[in-house]
Amino acid sequence: MIEVEVKAKIHDRDDMVDRILSLGGVHVSDEEQHDLYFNAPHRDFARTDEALRIRRSGGRTFITYKGPKIDEESKTRKELETEVADPGTAAEILESLGFRMVREVVKERRIYSLGDFTVSIDTVMGLGTYLEIERDLPDGSDYGEALGQIFELYRKLGIEDGFERRSYLELLELDEE
């Protein structure tokens, strides 16, 4: 699967909720997400632009691999994800194989559906509030049209700058330097 995603920093969560709803967005859920990010023993994911995480959210746990970003203007990348029964055991397996936990990222996510797109408002502990618009496509798909539609949605929401390609993990790591 290819995750076509664009993220932007926002300053007024309530105003953005109103804008999303005015475009026909439908509230799907509110979640608290706890992500544990790991680095590989055989290569540095910060250098290769990859990510491996265990996410706990809503009583479920997923392990996710994200490949390197595939363009210069978005966070579009290959994503592989599967549910796991026990986050502690999943983390212990990774650590037994030499993977090292590097950081926990905690956020409150409000999720909306808007046509073919998922729109999320994330309040990230230590970073602030961001808007993410994404669409999942099958591997090998031409993602250009979806990317154009995402930027058009941003324009309709009144956002034309402040886009951020770095992950929350990268932003938190930068903040510590």
Side-chain angles (χ1 to χ4, degrees):
M1 171 184 72
I2 298 173
E3 178 186 58
V4 184
E5 177 183 315
V6 178
K7 171 171 64 189
K9 177 94 169 155
I10 62 172
H11 302 286
D12 189 334
R13 178 181 169 166
D14 294 336
D15 177 58
M16 191 53 57
V17 168
D18 292 342
R19 291 175 189 224
I20 292 167
L21 294 175
S22 74
L23 291 179
V26 177
H27 180 251
V28 174
S29 66
D30 292 325
E31 301 176 356
E32 185 170 300
Q33 297 179 340
H34 294 261
D35 297 341
L36 294 179
Y37 282 89
F38 291 82
N39 203 358
H42 57 291
R43 64 180 178 257
D44 182 358
F45 287 162
R47 287 198 175 151
T48 61
D49 195 27
E50 297 169 280
L52 179 65
R53 74 167 182 235
I54 296 173
R55 171 173 285 169
R56 291 180 295 119
S57 180
R60 299 173 72 190
T61 301
F62 296 89
I63 189 166
T64 306
Y65 165 78
K66 293 186 177 208
K69 296 175 194 88
I70 59 178
D71 68 32
E72 294 297 320
E73 59 184 338
S74 72
K75 293 182 60 203
T76 301
R77 55 175 61 190
K78 179 176 186 149
E79 181 178 297
L80 303 170
E81 182 172 78
T82 191
E83 189 165 3
V84 295
D86 180 352
T89 300
E92 191 172 339
I93 289 169
L94 292 176
E95 290 169 343
S96 295
L97 292 171
F99 288 80
R100 179 178 52 85
M101 201 276 284
V102 292
R103 179 179 281 279
E104 181 177 26
V105 177
V106 178
K107 67 179 165 282
E108 292 178 10
R109 173 169 277 181
R110 177 162 277 187
I111 303 170
Y112 297 86
S113 175
L114 186 55
D116 293 332
F117 299 92
T118 300
V119 179
S120 302
I121 299 175
D122 292 339
T123 303
V124 184
M125 187 181 305
L127 284 181
T129 305
Y130 292 81
L131 181 71
E132 289 188 356
I133 301 176
E134 70 180 69
R135 182 174 180 195
D136 295 335
L137 297 174
D139 281 339
S141 297
D142 179 3
Y143 64 90
E145 182 179 347
L147 191 55
Q149 292 169 337
I150 288 173
F151 280 112
E152 179 60 27
L153 269 177
Y154 269 107
R155 281 189 286 284
K156 289 179 180 178
L157 290 167
I159 297 174
E160 298 196 28
D161 56 23
F163 297 108
E164 180 59 67
R165 286 187 71 239
R166 292 170 292 187
S167 69
Y168 297 133
L169 174 63
E170 291 171 301
L171 292 169
L172 285 165
E173 294 290 311
L174 269 178
D175 200 39
E176 281 190 352
E177 292 178 357

